[in-house]
Amino acid sequence: HNVKKRMPVILSEEEAKEWMMGDLGEKEILHLASTQCERTHMKAYPIAKDFKTAADPREPAAYENLPELVL
């Protein structure tokens, strides 16, 4: 899935504003692109396969034979 060698970046609200509104140079872009979000600020859980049409796409889903996520 990563043929184009792209990777998501998770930014804080302040960093996102800077990214969206700022007139950034290459140095600032590289700094923001290399930012790593603290693991403690994220949650991971399975979601429904039909999340695009679900009433609440953030609702956790349960799947038979899926091991528990360990972060």
Side-chain angles (χ1 to χ4, degrees):
H1 81 287
N2 201 11
V3 174
K4 295 182 180 180
K5 307 241 184 261
R6 296 182 288 186
M7 196 71 174
V9 175
I10 302 171
L11 302 173
S12 69
E13 190 172 331
E14 189 59 39
E15 291 166 331
K17 285 180 187 177
E18 183 180 351
W19 181 265
M20 299 297 290
M21 303 301 194
D23 184 18
L24 304 175
E26 184 176 347
K27 183 178 178 182
E28 291 85 9
I29 291 170
L30 291 173
H31 173 72
L32 286 173
S34 65
T35 299
Q36 293 187 5
C37 182
E38 292 291 326
R39 184 182 306 191
T40 57
H41 292 107
M42 296 185 280
K43 292 182 183 179
Y45 52 89
I47 59 172
K49 291 179 183 178
D50 63 348
F51 72 93
K52 291 182 180 180
T53 58
D56 183 357
R58 298 169 296 174
E59 185 70 30
Y63 295 96
E64 192 175 316
N65 300 321
L66 179 68
E68 182 179 339
L69 291 171
V70 179
L71 301 175

